[in-house]
Amino acid sequence: MTTETGIGASVKRKEDARFITGKGRYTDDINLVNQTYLVFARSPYAHAKINGIDLEPAKATPGVVAVFTGKDLAADEIGDLPCGWMVKSKDGSDMISPSHPPIAIDKVNYVGEPYALVIADTPDAARNGAEAIEANFEVLEAVLSTADATSGPQIHENAPNNRSYDWELGDKDATDTAFDNAAHITKLDIVNNRLIPNAIETRAALGDFDSSTGNYTLYTTSQNPHVERLILAAFVNVAPEARLRVISPDVGGGFGSKIFVYAEETAVIWAAGKLGRPVKWRAERTESFLGDAHGRDHVTHAELAIDDDGKFTGLRVSTKANMGAYLSTFASSVPTYLYGTLLAGQYTTPNIYVEVQAVFTNTCSVDAYRGAGRPEATFVVERLVETAARELNMDPAELRRKNFIPPDAFPYETPVALTYDTGNYGISLDKALDLADVAGFESRRSDSESRGKKRGLGYSCYIEACGLAPSQVAISLGAGVGLFESAEIRVDVTGSVTAITGSHSHGQGHETTFAQLISDRFGIPFESVDVVHGDTGRSDYGLGTYGSRSIAVGGSALMSAADKIIAKGKKIAAHMLNSNEDNVDFADGRFTAADTNESLAFGEVAFSAYVPGNFPLEELEPGLSEKAFYDPANFTYPAGAHICEVEIDPDTGVTEIAQFVAVDDFGNVINPMIVEGQVHGGLAQGIGQALLEHGIYDADSGNLITGSYLDYAMPRADHLPDFTVDTTVTPCTHNPLGVKGCGEAGAIGSTAAVMNAVTDALGVIDMPMPATPETVWKVARGA
Amino acid sequence: MAVKLNVNSVEHTLEVPSNTLLSEILRDHLNLTGTHIGCDTSQCGACVVHMDGKSIKSCTVLAAQADGADVTTIEGIANGGELHPMQEAFRNNHALQCGFCTPGMIMSAIDLVQSNDKLSAQEIREGLDGNFCRCTGYHNIVKAVLEAQEQM
Amino acid sequence: MYQFKHHKSTSVDHASELHSNSDEGLYLAGGMTLIPSMKLRLTAPTDLIDLSSIEGLAGISNSYAGLRIGAMTRHCEVSASSEIPALASLASLIGDNQVRNRGTIGGSLANNDPAADYPAAVLGLGATIHTNKRDIDGDSFFLGLFETALDEGEIITAVTFPIPKRAAYAKFPNPASRYAIVGAMVSDSGSGIRVGITGAGACAFRARAFESALNKDFSVDAISAIEIDHSDFNVDIHASAEFRGHLIGAMVRQAVVQLTE
C-alpha cells in the first residue's frame, strides 16, 4: 500500500518539529539538581610512564569536590574497556588485546589519554583543578607510523611487534596460481587516510545515582544504549545490569564514533555512584579529536590478476591496519570481517586472498567509522579495477561490466565467505552512465582544457554488507554480542500505537520511517504511531544502530511484532464477530470475517482488547501488545555505481567536483526523501576523505596536528556540489520488507570514484589521498 | 557583573561572572538549549544566534559584549504557532538529520537571506561556510534556503 | 576561560588609562581571535578593555587622503562599502558571515596574524595606520609574527587607504580555517604598482619583484617567470614553503588577470 504516509512515501519527518524549533533534547541539554562537572587530565605525551601524580594542588583548588586517578577506579574493581570481537591469527592464536584501564594507571599510550579526573561544582573549577594536577611523566619513544609499527618500540608488554593479530581469509595457493597464470597484473600501494568522525554534537555523559534504590542512570550520546549498558555492567563492572539504566536521548550524529564504550562515560557513572551526586561531562571539540575513535588508516599492497579476455582471475591484498593504542569496542572486526569479506566487490573474481596485520601505535584508537572496513575494501577494489582499465586501455565501465556477477547468478557465493542474495549491477551502472552524460564527457574535457584546466572521470561500483548477521555466524566468528534486533508494539486502548525499537536514531529519522511501517501495516494514521528508542528502561533489549542495520534488522523486527499484533487482533475480531480466527482477514485497517463480511476497525479491536467484556479468558487474554526479536538469515547487500567528474586547476591544485552521480540499489525504499538524505551525507564524507580530511599525528612528538577545526578540513557547503542520486531496486530476498539499508553507501562508494577521477584528470596511476591542493599541484607538475 | 539583555523579546537582567559567554547565558541561565555548542574555536556555527539583527557565534561573544543587546535564538523565530519560513523550508526539504547543527544553520540562513538580494545556490553555499553539517552533505540545506528566500 | 575584569571605555584616552592601570590588560575589539584564545586558556588577561563603547571609532568616511575606516569598523561594513571594491572583496573573504559581523579592522591589524587578510590590503594599497599617538606608515607597521610597530598600550583609531586607480585581491584560503594560505593585494595607484602578500611569511610583506615587473609591464606575462625565495616561508600541513612560494605567483597572476580582463 502506498499512501501519502505509507511505505514508499517521502513523508516529512516527525522529529523535525522539535529540531527546527530548538526543542531537541540532547545529553548536554539535561541538567540534574546538585550536579557536578567532570574534567579529565589528559596526557600531553604519546608514550610515557607515569611515575607519580600529585593531586594535592587540584584538591585544594576552590570548588573542586573530588580528584581521582585510575588507581581509584581499580580499587573499586572497575575493569578494562573490552574489545567485543575475538579475531584469530593465521596460526589459530587469539588476537592480543592489551589491558585498557579506563583511566591510565602506570602508562599513557597516546596524546589525550585520560590519567586523572577532577570533579567540581562548576565547569571552570573542574578545569582549574585539572590544570593544577602535577604528573611526573617519563617520556618513552613513540610509535606513530602504521607502516612501520611492527618494528617500533613495543607499546604493550603482551604485544610483541606491536601486533594484535595477523589474520587471513581466502585460498592463498589458488590465488597465487591465478597470478602465475595471469595475462596482466595490476598493482597498487594504497594508503587509506585516517579520518576523524566529527559528529557535530560532541560526546557527553551525565551520571546519576539514587542511593535510596541503588539505581544508576546514565544519559549519554550512544548509538546503542543497551550495548553500552551490557558492557558497563558485565565487563567494566560499574553497576549490576538491572540497576543501570542507559538513556540515549537525541543524539547529534554518530557515524560510528558513538557505538563504542569509552573511558569518559565509564568514569562519569562510576563517579556519580562514588560521590552520590550527579556528574556531567561534555567533550570539548579538542577532546573529540583526541579521543573519539578514528576511522580507516590502512596501508595496503594490492594486486589484481586479469586474463586475456579482461576477466579478473585473482585478487591478492596485504594490509596493515592501525588499531591505535588500544583495541576499541569493535575495532578488531573492522579490518577483517567487514573488510576482507567485501573484496569480491561486484565481480566474479574466483580467487581472493587477503591478509591483515592489526598493529598498535601511540595514537587514538581506530574503530568503525561510516562504512567501517567496507569503504577500505571498495577503495582497494575500485582503484585496482580503474587502474587495470587504464593499463589495458579499456573503457573502465566495460571492464567492470565484463566482470560483474550476472543477475541470474544469485544467490552468489564469493570466495571470501559471503553469499550475496540478489543484485543487478549492470542496471545501476547503465543508469549512472546516463545520468552523468558520460557520452558527453570528452567534449567537456576539451572545454576544460581550453580554459587551462584538467578534467577527469572516475567510477566506483561498490558492494556493501549491511545488517551484520546472523547472530549464529557472527558469534562463531568471534562476535561478543548477538546481532538481532528487538521490537515491541503496544496498541493503546484508543487504537494509537507505541512502537518501541532497539534501534537508535541519531539523525536517521526512525520516528518517521518506523511510523510509516506501522501505519502502513495497521492501516492507521501515521500521526497515531509513536516510536520510542534509546532508553534501556523502556525497551527490552536492542543492539542499536550502526552498519546500516536499522531498517533491515530493526524494521524487520517491528514487522514481526506487527504480525503478532494482527494475529492477536484476528482472535479478538473473531470473538467479537462470532467468527473463527482463520476466517478473519486483515486489510486496510479492518478485520473482516470472510464468512459474514462483517468487519471491525483496528481501533475497535484495540478498544475491545482492553475492555474485554465477554472475552473467553481461558482462550483469549486481554490486551494488545506484542514483542519480537528478529535475527536475520544473512547480511543485506546494497550496491551501486558512483560516477565522479572533477575539474582541476593545475596552477593551484584545487579540485572541484563538477558533478557526482550515485545510483544505488537499496532494495525496497520506505521513505525516498530520507534515503536520499542518507546518500547525500555519505557522499559528503566520502568526498571529504578523498579531498579534504586527514587525521595527522606529528611524527616526532605524537601530537595530533589536526586537533581542531583550524587544521582538520571539514567539508563545508562550498566544498561540495549538488548531488545527482537515483536508485534501482532488487528487493532483499530474506527480510520481510525487501530492504537493504542505505546509511553508509555514500561513504563507501564515493571515495574511490573521486580518486579515480582525480588520477584520470592528471593522467597518473596513483597519488596520495587526500588529494589536497598541494598534492595535486605537485603531481600535476610531475614532482 | 550585571548584564541586561533582551532575548526573544523578554528583558533579562543577570548577575554573571566576567568570563561568561553569551552562549552560556542562553543555555545555562535562560535554559534556551536550542543554541548548541559544537566546537571551541568559533568554526562550527552550531551556536549562531542573532544579536541586534545580525548572525553571530554566541560562543565567541562575551556576556559583557551582549549587554544591552537584542538577541534572538532559534526558540524565538516562530510567530506563535506559525513557523518561520526558514524552519518550514528546512522541514519541507529534509534539510536536517540529527538536528544538532540545525538551529545555528537556520539562524545563519535567515540572516543570509535577509542581508542579500536573491541568492544563487552557489552564493548560499558560500554564505553558509560558517556552519558545519556532518549529516546532510548540505544538498538539502541549499534547497531549503532557496525555497525559503521565495517566502521571506 | 579565566576570569578577568571587564571595562567599558568611554573614550580612547579612557581606554588607554584603563590599560596603563591594569596588570595584564588587553584591548577587546571584535574578539574574534582573542575570545577563542581565552576560551582555550592560551591568553589570560587580568583586564579586558572593551573598545566597542567608544563613540566615533567605527565608520567609513572619505578624506582627502583616501578612505578612512575607523578601527572598530566591522568586516561586514567594509565588505558592503563601495569606494575600493578590492578592499570590500577582501573583507568579504575574511572568516565567515558571523566573524565578519563581529570582527574589526583595528583588531585584525593589531593582532597581525600571519594569515590575516587585512595586512595584505594595508601593504598592497599603501595605507596609513592612525593611532592615539601618531600615524604609522603601513609599510613599517608589520614587524614579524604577531608583532607590530604599536607601542605597549597604543590604540589603533583608524586606517586610511588611498583610493587606487585599480586594485584586486586574490586569496587561496586554508581549506580548514579559511585564513589565507596566501593572499595577494595588487594595486595600481596611477603612479605605481603595489603588491601586498599575506599568509606566506611571518607577517605580510610587499613583493617587490612583482611590483617592479608590473611597473614595467602590467601583464601576466611580465610576472610569469619570477622566482620567489621561499626559504623563510611558513610551513604547515596544508602548504609547504615551496607551495606557498608558488601560490604567491598564482595569486598575483589571478589578481592581474582580474585587472586586465
Side-chain angles (χ1 to χ4, degrees), chain A residues 40-43 50 101-105 108 110 112-117 263-264:
Chain A
F40 293 93
R42 294 179 182 274
S43 171
I50 304 173
I103 305 299
I105 297 173
V108 284
Y110 65 95
E113 182 168 6
Y115 66 87
L117 46 122
E264 290 87 355

Side-chain angles (χ1 to χ4, degrees), chain A residues 94 350 366 393 425 459 640 682 723:
Chain A
D94 287 351
V366 178
N393 211 12
Y425 308 135
Y459 302 80
F723 304 116

Side-chain angles (χ1 to χ4, degrees), chain A residues 45 48-54 115 134-139:
Chain A
Y45 301 109
K49 265 194 212 162
I50 304 173
N51 285 336
I53 307 176
D54 182 2
Y115 66 87
E134 287 170 14
N136 177 3
F137 290 106
E138 178 183 336
V139 178

Side-chain angles (χ1 to χ4, degrees), chain A residues 124 127-128 131 649 651-652 654 692 696 705-706 709-713 716 718-719 773-774 777-778 781, chain C residues 1-3 40-41 96 172 174-179 237-240 242-243 246-247 250-251 253-254:
Chain A
D124 262 354
R127 271 182 220 114
N128 293 342
E131 264 182 10
D649 179 349
D651 192 30
T652 59
V654 170
L692 294 159
I696 302 173
I705 297 173
T706 52
Y709 289 139
L710 295 170
D711 286 304
Y712 189 86
R716 299 180 199 234
D718 58 357
H719 285 125
E774 177 159 13
W777 172 70
K778 282 185 169 155
R781 65 204 277 263
Chain C
M1 195 184 300
Y2 298 106
Q3 297 223 26
L40 296 172
R41 298 188 158 193
D96 50 50
F172 192 90
N174 180 315
S177 70
R178 296 290 160 115
Y179 275 95
I237 56 167
H238 301 287
S240 65
E242 182 194 13
F243 188 46
H246 168 77
L247 285 175
M251 291 304 107
R253 287 193 297 277
Q254 282 188 12

Side-chain angles (χ1 to χ4, degrees), chain A residues 255-396:
Chain A
F255 317 110
S257 68
K258 293 172 180 170
I259 297 172
F260 321 119
V261 177
Y262 290 93
E264 290 87 355
E265 59 261 29
T266 305
V268 160
I269 193 69
W270 170 79
K274 193 89 181 157
L275 299 178
R277 282 179 70 180
V279 176
K280 186 177 201 175
W281 166 78
R282 176 183 62 78
E284 295 188 348
R285 178 56 60 183
T286 302
E287 294 183 279
S288 301
F289 273 106
L290 292 173
D292 289 10
H294 295 179
R296 319 284 191 255
D297 203 340
H298 283 195
V299 175
T300 295
H301 178 75
E303 303 182 350
L304 180 65
I306 306 167
D307 71 11
D308 280 334
D309 285 339
K311 293 281 274 183
F312 308 151
T313 56
L315 175 67
R316 225 164 22 195
V317 177
S318 176
T319 293
K320 271 189 186 164
N322 194 341
M323 297 284 99
Y326 302 99
L327 288 183
S328 169
T329 316
F330 293 108
S332 53
S333 65
V334 175
T336 50
Y337 295 107
L338 296 175
Y339 169 70
T341 53
L342 273 298
L343 288 168
Q346 301 187 351
Y347 310 112
T348 54
T349 318
N351 304 292
I352 299 175
Y353 176 73
V354 50
E355 52 188 357
V356 178
Q357 292 186 63
V359 299
F360 296 111
T361 57
N362 293 111
T363 63
C364 178
S365 290
V366 178
D367 205 326
Y369 167 65
R370 201 170 196 166
R374 291 152 292 174
E376 296 92 313
T378 295
F379 194 75
V380 167
V381 174
E382 291 304 294
R383 286 287 295 121
L384 273 174
V385 170
E386 193 94 357
T387 304
R390 290 176 196 163
E391 289 174 350
L392 296 169
N393 211 12
M394 284 182 70
D395 175 359

